[in-house]
Amino acid sequence: MKKTIIITGGAGFIGSHVTRLFVKKYSDYQIINLDALTYAGNLENLTDIEKCSNYKFVKGDITNEETIRSIFNEYSIDGVIHLAAESHVDRSISEPMAFIKTNILGTTILLNAAKLHWKDNFVGKLFYHISTDEVYGSLGAEGLFTEETSYDPRSPYSASKASSDHLVRAYHHTYGLPVVISNCSNNYGPNHFPEKLIPLAINNIKKNKPIPVYGKGENVRDWLFVEDHAAAIDLVFHKGKQGETYNIGGNNEWTNIDLIKLLCRIMDTKLNRPIGESEKLITYVKDRAGHDLRYAIDSSKLQNELGWKPSLQFEEGLTKTVDWYLSNQKWLDDIVSGNYQQYYNEQYQNR
Ligand code: NAD
Ligand code: DAU
């Protein structure tokens, strides 16, 4: 094998797309998917590649120092692509400690293991940390986040991701650990956990349930199809400059309400409903505490230096996503009937 790579959080939404891409594209890499299988981890995301000889799943928690050290001792690791995290902003508001533990402590335990294992021989090694645009805070009507934008995280989730970014940079500057970081905007696509806006709305529209829109629906997000993010991660992992940060975004800003209306139109067509029928399900609910108004990414560094660009127009990507959810009802039902249900009830009972 040319390289042995750990992908943390490989059973999650983005991680499963990155894992599939690497397993299929690099048959000479040994890919180890290290995931604790929290509520958000789902091995059903990877059934198509689970028998590939260059793929291995290891169930392990990144906050467990012993587990992580033993994995680094057992395998000769060349690279880490670190996606494992608590990722949902609303959960971070009700349960911040889980975010502090996994996102900050877990990242530091991984950094320590890499530093210890690689000693000072960093040739051919890389620790790639996957982060978010939310670390930059919230924009007004104008402007874009660049790699130079000062950090200004405003939720426990974004603060925990910002802390992990700082720690990754600190290990580079202090110990010379070879690292690279990317900060991406909102992803959407197949396998997205239905606590997040788009899959939650698809599920509710299908079941004729209210679509909860926070506040007035005026908040803006910059949406990127998940496979385009995975392609960017592949590029940054192989061609990115050590110590650098790359912003990744869709150049595709939508207010939540316009996005939901577009989604309703696509669903009406797919479900043979009269156009306008699903929009009747839109229900304005209490706003998210500290709700960031607008995120928008300037990805020109990645585009100019590494030649990446998004491949899908939003309506095309959203249609593909709806098609996937409609033909993978079991995937959705298994999640919605499980642990997720209790969380959903608690989250929405007072809205
Ligand atoms: P996700 O919640 O769908 O998946 C997270 C995965 O990490 C799950 O498989 C879970 O089991 C695993 N995990 C959680 N805690 C763990 C622990 N302690 N040890 C080992 N595994 C653990 O998340 P996602 O949306 O796929 O996001 C992946 C990464 O990308 C995160 O770091 C997130 O901050 C970042 N990100 C996400 C988006 C987005 O729009 N979803 C955008 C930018 C950046
Ligand atoms: O920007 C990148 C981030 O995008 C990632 O780092 C996070 O991991 C990911 O979860 C996502 O965060 P958001 O908070 O932007 O995503 P979410 O899908 O939770 O919400 C999108 C927008 O929709 C946000 O403005 C809140 C709003 N919303 C969300 C839900 C769940 C609603 O109006 N109703 C809802 O029910």
Side-chain angles (χ1 to χ4, degrees), residues 21-42:
L21 175 71
F22 273 68
V23 166
K24 287 192 165 170
K25 186 168 172 185
Y26 302 106
S27 55
D28 54 347
Y29 288 6
Q30 174 69 48
I31 304 298
I32 299 167
N33 170 11
L34 170 65
D35 198 298
L37 298 183
T38 66
Y39 79 94
N42 186 350

Side-chain angles (χ1 to χ4, degrees), residues 211-330:
I211 311 165
V213 173
Y214 295 169
K216 293 182 178 154
E218 286 167 347
N219 303 69
V220 175
R221 298 292 182 264
D222 172 3
W223 293 94
L224 178 70
F225 192 63
V226 62
E227 288 176 9
D228 281 332
H229 188 191
I233 289 174
D234 179 16
L235 205 56
V236 171
F237 182 74
H238 288 100
K239 302 262 166 63
K241 261 173 68 186
Q242 285 181 15
E244 293 283 319
T245 296
Y246 297 88
N247 277 358
I248 308 172
N251 196 21
N252 177 41
E253 291 182 48
W254 287 76
T255 61
N256 293 335
I257 191 63
D258 286 347
L259 182 161
I260 291 300
K261 285 182 178 168
L262 171 62
L263 188 60
C264 285
R265 283 199 295 281
I266 295 173
M267 292 287 286
D268 281 341
T269 308
K270 296 285 172 190
L271 298 173
N272 294 319
R273 290 180 184 168
I275 298 292
E277 187 68 15
S278 299
E279 264 193 35
K280 293 181 192 154
L281 298 168
I282 292 175
T283 307
Y284 292 96
V285 298
K286 190 173 147 206
D287 208 354
R288 172 183 281 172
H291 197 172
D292 287 341
L293 178 66
R294 176 173 165 255
Y295 306 140
I297 279 277
D298 175 350
S299 64
S300 51
K301 177 176 175 182
L302 180 65
Q303 303 212 19
N304 297 336
E305 292 184 14
L306 303 187
W308 173 88
K309 63 175 184 342
S311 71
L312 284 187
Q313 293 299 312
F314 193 43
E315 192 155 347
E316 192 187 350
L318 214 46
T319 304
K320 237 176 131 167
T321 305
V322 167
D323 285 341
W324 186 86
Y325 279 93
L326 294 181
S327 49
N328 286 274
Q329 191 60 48
K330 186 181 173 310

Side-chain angles (χ1 to χ4, degrees), residues 87 132-134 157 186 197 212 214 221 256 288 291 348:
S87 69
T132 170
D133 60 357
E134 299 199 12
Y157 164 68
N186 285 62
L197 179 66
Y214 295 169
R221 298 292 182 264
N256 293 335
R288 172 183 281 172
H291 197 172
Y348 290 97

